[in-house]
Amino acid sequence: MRQSSQAVENEVILGIPRKRMVLWLTIAPMILMLCWVSWSVSKNRYVVTAEMVEMDAPSECWAASDGGIFSDARDAFRSRQPLRPYLGFCGVARTTMGDFALPPSKPQPWLGQKRSDIYTRLNPGCKYDLIVISPNGRPTERNRGRGSPNPPLIRRILFTYPC
C-alpha cells in the first residue's frame, strides 16, 4: 500500500501530472518561437497601391559583402548605372507613392519575389498593389517628392491593374 501511494506522488508535480508537464514544457517554447517568427516576418510590411512612373534601376544589382557563415564574400555589381546616381548604387523604382528600392539579386530572397521578376513586371504607366517593407512607417503620397537614403523595399507585386 505504501509503495503505490509513493508512486502516485512521484507522478504529480505541483498538482500536474508529470507527462502532461513535460508535454507542455516542450510545446510552449515551439509556440512562442512560431509567434516570434510570424511577428518578425510581418512587421513593417504594408500593401501600397502605386502607379509606376519610371524604372531607374538596373535589372541585376547587389552590394559588396564580406561573407559570413553561410555565404561567400562578393564584390558589388550592377548591370547598368542608374540615370540618377544620387538615388543609390542599385537605383529605385519611381512611383506616385515615392521611390521604392528593389531587392538585391544575390542572395536570392527567401520571402518575396526575385529582383528580375519584379523588374520585368513593373512597367511605366501601370498601377500595382505592392507589398513593401518600410521601417519608417506606411509610405504615403506626401513622401513622393522626398528622397530617402533608405527607401522602402518592394517585396512582392501583389496585383497588377489593367494598363
Side-chain angles (χ1 to χ4, degrees):
M1 179 89 173
R2 185 166 170 113
Q3 288 179 334
S4 65
S5 67
Q6 194 175 25
V8 171
E9 288 176 13
N10 290 340
E11 293 291 322
V12 177
I13 302 171
L14 297 174
I16 303 170
R18 187 175 55 140
K19 289 182 181 178
R20 188 175 296 164
M21 183 177 278
V22 169
L23 177 70
W24 280 107
L25 289 176
T26 55
I27 291 177
M30 289 184 221
I31 292 171
L32 289 173
M33 183 63 82
L34 183 65
C35 291
W36 180 78
V37 166
S38 66
W39 174 79
S40 65
V41 166
S42 64
K43 74 174 184 167
N44 299 331
R45 184 175 288 242
Y46 304 98
V47 176
V48 176
T49 302
E51 185 176 333
M52 187 67 187
V53 175
E54 176 187 17
M55 179 60 76
D56 192 10
S59 60
E60 297 272 327
C61 186
W62 58 82
S65 171
D66 293 334
I69 296 172
F70 300 111
S71 62
D72 296 332
R74 64 177 183 271
D75 293 329
F77 172 80
R78 60 185 172 191
S79 56
R80 70 171 176 86
Q81 185 173 352
L83 299 174
R84 295 171 187 83
Y86 59 86
L87 292 175
F89 183 76
C90 288
V92 294
R94 305 193 69 192
T95 69
T96 56
M97 294 293 283
D99 297 340
F100 294 114
L102 299 176
S105 301
K106 289 186 179 176
Q108 297 295 333
W110 288 5
L111 302 169
Q113 292 172 321
K114 293 190 277 187
R115 181 185 183 97
S116 58
D117 294 341
I118 294 172
Y119 184 85
T120 56
R121 286 186 62 191
L122 291 177
N123 298 318
C126 295
K127 198 172 187 181
Y128 300 94
D129 281 346
L130 306 169
I131 296 178
V132 298
I133 295 177
S134 176
N136 299 331
R138 181 177 195 76
T140 63
E141 286 190 47
R142 293 182 316 171
N143 300 338
R144 182 175 41 207
R146 195 179 319 160
S148 171
N150 212 8
L153 176 73
I154 297 174
R155 193 48 105 183
R156 177 179 301 277
I157 298 174
L158 192 61
F159 183 75
T160 304
Y161 293 93
C163 295

